[in-house]
Amino acid sequence: MHKSMINLTINGDEVDAVVKDNLTLLDFLRDQLGLTGTKKGCEEGECGACTVLLDGLPVNSCCTLAVECNGREVTTIEGLARNGQLTPLQRQFIDKWALQCGYCTPGMIMSATALLNTNHHPTELEIREAIEGNLCRCTGYAKIVEAIQAAAAEMNWEEA
Amino acid sequence: MVLPQFEYIAASSLEEACKLLLEHDGKAKVMAGATDLIPPMRDKVFTAEYVIDLKKIPGLDELSYDEKEGLKIGALTTLRTLEHSPLVKEKNPAVAYAAKVIASTQIRAKGTLVGNICNASPSNDSAPNLLAQGAKVNVQGVDGTRVIPIEEFFLGVRRTALKPGEIVTSVVIPPLAEDEKAAYMKFAVRKAMDLAIIGVAAKIKMKDGVCTDARVALGAVAVTPILAPAAAAELIGKKLTDEVIDKAAEAAMNSCSPISDIRASKEYRKEMVRVFTKRAVKQCLEQY
Ligand code: FES
Ligand code: FES
């Protein structure tokens, strides 16, 4: 069994860990760190339920090795709220009824967070492209797009 | 599901990576973005005792343009970078487009163009442009470097001309002259997370209203991406009227014999090659 020492930043905290070389980032987060907000769907890179930010970019944690993240920065859904305060995007998902079963939601929110971090005025097409790798079997996407639009508008309003 | 066991090695130099690859020939896999490595390992499409990660090797994420050499894309340059790069959009928009239509935002953030061609899927979206534009593949081996013309790179499904211990360090696409235009068209059912039913790339050169050079390349119609010289021949030396383009599209269709699979039948693929060859050539023309 091959193992490696890794040191990385997760949701702002420095983490040292010994991981099996064949452990995915997804299993590392869920099973070793207990961060179960990141969901496991297909484990094939198809559904996006496992989306996290790696150095700020959205990636499928099921297609990433934990050891590959040595020295890098990971943000999960647990890392978004500050002092119990949801981000505008998280709150808009609730207000706009952008979730039903909620299984896709953490991944959706991570993809949308990555979008809004770099693009404060996304068009509807840009929003749909940003979540193209996230499957939702419940909502039909319309409410999700609305929630992201509302969050963008709110953030712009806060900027002004 | 737990991945089969392997030993992960983050190579710190190309020399080290090539040596390891040669030493463990047949048992080692090279990793860049890992997006097309982890799923097949999980599905046991292939196994590896060693996974050699290139990401710690400095300099492999190059993306540069030289008036003479053209566009150089390093082994670690991600599809996301190609998709968003103003340089690529300006110098070779077909390449930016082909990157953007691959898989999903998440996959493109990690996946690389070089990884895409090294995995050598018949339907990969990167290859048709490279074939149509005569790209060169720079390779590093234990005994030094060599250049493989893209036409000689693909040998079969998941098989390339790389020899034991060899790693692709970059791909270079020659510059498009003022009078040259290129386009790639992917045909798939879904916009995201879908493989091409077929893909067509074209590059044409026009002088005084006459096509003086052309290349057409097809994806997902054979075990490897292929050139369709018969289609190009119909274009060269002619004014590109609708009739001429129709004839070239017909030639492209007749020059391939795709298979029927879950995505489409052989007949449908051929018909779509005809339609999309026409569109690709027209898209080149629209850029003048
Ligand atoms: S679990 Fe990672 S993409 Fe589905
Ligand atoms: S809310 Fe159920 S999958 Fe999206």
Side-chain angles (χ1 to χ4, degrees):
Chain A
M1 177 75 55
H2 298 284
K3 294 185 180 178
S4 303
M5 251 313 266
I6 58 169
N7 168 277
L8 69 170
T9 305
I10 297 179
N11 298 331
D13 295 329
E14 204 180 314
V15 174
D16 287 303
V18 175
V19 294
K20 292 179 191 156
D21 284 3
N22 64 346
L23 186 73
T24 62
L25 175 61
L26 175 61
D27 286 341
F28 174 61
L29 291 170
R30 289 181 56 87
D31 303 341
Q32 211 159 320
L33 301 182
L35 294 172
T36 52
T38 305
K39 299 300 176 220
K40 181 184 281 193
C42 62
E43 287 192 274
E44 294 275 334
E46 302 274 347
C47 75
C50 66
T51 304
V52 300
L53 305 189
L54 181 59
D55 294 334
L57 298 181
V59 302
N60 304 112
S61 60
C62 70
C63 293
T64 303
L65 297 176
V67 41
E68 202 188 324
C69 301
N70 189 20
R72 303 176 74 181
E73 201 170 313
V74 176
T75 308
T76 70
I77 188 77
E78 289 92 344
L80 296 186
R82 292 257 180 273
N83 308 319
Q85 185 90 18
L86 298 180
T87 63
L89 182 67
Q90 287 176 304
R91 197 161 23 71
Q92 290 293 358
F93 261 67
I94 301 170
D95 292 353
K96 293 275 185 272
W97 296 91
L99 61 142
Q100 290 176 28
C101 79
Y103 204 80
C104 71
T105 313
M108 283 287 180
I109 290 183
M110 296 320 288
S111 287
T113 297
L115 170 73
L116 296 181
N117 281 347
T118 52
N119 182 349
H120 297 187
H121 304 274
T123 62
E124 180 178 343
L125 181 67
E126 285 169 333
I127 291 174
R128 288 187 179 270
E129 282 176 355
I131 57 167
E132 67 182 2
N134 295 83
L135 284 182
C136 175
R137 297 294 78 184
C138 306
T139 64
Y141 303 98
K143 294 286 171 192
I144 293 174
V145 173
E146 265 177 48
I148 300 169
Q149 283 170 326
E154 190 180 331
M155 289 160 83
N156 291 331
W157 181 77
E158 280 170 5
E159 264 170 32
Chain B
M1 213 204 305
V2 180
L3 284 171
Q5 277 188 43
F6 54 78
E7 182 176 346
Y8 168 92
I9 307 168
S12 51
S13 69
L14 264 177
E15 293 68 35
E16 185 195 353
C18 294
K19 250 183 75 194
L20 284 166
L21 200 55
L22 184 65
E23 193 179 317
H24 303 299
D25 184 37
K27 292 186 266 177
K29 285 276 172 195
V30 173
M31 169 168 133
T35 53
D36 207 3
L37 181 71
I38 294 177
M41 283 207 296
R42 183 173 278 123
D43 295 344
K44 307 204 170 57
V45 174
F46 50 71
T47 54
E49 285 175 38
Y50 302 89
V51 167
I52 303 166
D53 192 353
L54 304 182
K55 281 198 288 296
K56 293 277 181 315
I57 302 176
L60 284 185
D61 59 351
E62 180 175 356
L63 178 62
S64 61
Y65 184 80
D66 179 280
E67 296 294 335
K68 277 209 200 73
E69 299 294 316
L71 188 64
K72 188 171 182 190
I73 301 168
L76 292 178
T77 304
T78 63
L79 295 163
R80 183 185 170 101
T81 301
L82 295 177
E83 165 193 0
H84 291 289
S85 157
L87 180 74
V88 180
K89 281 191 209 163
E90 183 200 330
K91 301 295 183 191
N92 207 322
V95 170
Y97 174 80
K100 188 183 164 76
V101 296
I102 294 176
S104 66
T105 311
Q106 290 95 318
I107 302 246
R108 295 196 299 277
K110 290 190 80 202
T112 63
L113 176 136
V114 168
N116 198 214
I117 65 165
C118 286
N119 288 323
S121 151
S123 65
N124 88 74
D125 288 301
S126 303
N129 268 329
L130 301 183
L131 279 165
Q133 299 192 40
K136 300 266 183 283
V137 182
N138 288 325
V139 171
Q140 166 96 43
V142 182
D143 304 320
T145 60
R146 68 177 176 125
V147 180
I148 308 177
I150 191 75
E151 298 83 355
E152 295 163 21
F153 186 74
F154 300 106
L155 299 186
V157 178
R158 286 197 178 267
R159 279 204 311 124
T160 67
L162 289 176
K163 298 206 190 95
E166 282 189 332
I167 290 172
V168 175
T169 52
S170 65
V171 166
V172 179
I173 309 172
L176 289 167
E178 264 310 286
D179 53 3
E180 292 176 328
K181 303 291 174 198
Y184 175 63
M185 301 232 111
K186 173 182 186 168
F187 176 53
V189 175
R190 299 185 68 236
K191 278 205 190 114
M193 285 316 302
D194 205 357
L195 301 181
I197 291 173
I198 57 110
V200 180
K203 174 183 168 183
I204 60 171
K205 186 183 180 80
M206 299 290 290
K207 265 216 166 79
D208 308 321
V210 174
C211 175
T212 56
D213 199 9
R215 273 160 84 105
V216 174
L218 312 173
V221 296
V223 288
T224 68
I226 54 167
L227 277 168
E234 291 290 345
L235 299 170
I236 297 170
K238 307 207 180 110
K239 284 202 163 66
L240 298 187
T241 60
D242 284 355
E243 295 74 55
V244 167
I245 297 172
D246 279 348
K247 268 198 150 169
E250 187 101 18
M253 175 174 86
N254 292 331
S255 67
C256 64
S257 50
I259 54 162
S260 295
D261 66 7
I262 181 173
R263 283 196 164 68
S265 66
K266 171 189 169 102
E267 292 74 20
Y268 187 62
R269 277 204 164 90
K270 289 190 73 138
E271 181 59 22
M272 289 304 108
V273 164
R274 195 175 65 75
V275 172
F276 280 82
T277 300
K278 212 173 357 180
R279 289 188 194 167
V281 173
K282 286 195 172 158
Q283 206 193 77
C284 290
L285 284 175
E286 279 164 17
Q287 296 173 48
Y288 283 97

